[in-house]
């Protein structure tokens, strides 16, 4: 038989970046992140990544279906970076 026709295929596009991302700076031993909800119809959850340095490796820190994430920190005075 003859070969089939060539078909071009694509995966779905990447989701749009989140907006309105904010973090608390005045709570004892915790940092609360919040953001505007995603507008993707097939959204399932947000993944949170954290680092102690903005230019270093970010490690997976948790996930949530909410537009808020509470990070309990072992001591006051810590600085973390999230994405």
């Amino acid at each position: 038989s003859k070969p089939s026709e060539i078909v071009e295929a694509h995966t779905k596009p990447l989701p749009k970046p989140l907006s309105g991302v904010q973090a608390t700076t005045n709570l004892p031993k915790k940092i609360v992140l919040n953001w505007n909800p995603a507008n993707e119809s097939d959204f399932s959850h947000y993944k949170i990544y954290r680092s102690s340095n903005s230019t270093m490796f970010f490690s997976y820190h948790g996930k949530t279906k909410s537009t808020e994430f509470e990070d309990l920190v072992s001591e006051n005075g810590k600085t973390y970076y999230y994405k």
Side-chain angles (χ1 to χ4, degrees), residues 13-74:
L14 291 172
K16 294 178 182 173
L18 294 177
S19 64
V21 179
Q22 297 179 339
T24 59
T25 59
N26 60 349
L27 300 175
K29 294 189 178 180
K30 72 178 171 181
I31 297 170
V32 178
L33 307 171
N34 57 60
W35 53 87
N36 296 329
N39 292 324
E40 307 296 325
S41 62
D42 60 349
F43 165 80
S44 66
H45 62 273
Y46 302 98
K47 290 183 180 179
I48 310 297
Y49 294 84
R50 183 177 87 172
S51 177
S52 58
N53 185 313
S54 65
T55 61
M56 298 294 282
F57 177 76
F58 281 77
S59 58
Y60 176 77
H61 194 60
K63 69 180 181 179
T64 181
K65 292 183 178 185
S66 173
T67 56
E68 183 175 290
F69 183 82
E70 187 174 293
D71 186 8
L72 300 178
V73 180
S74 61

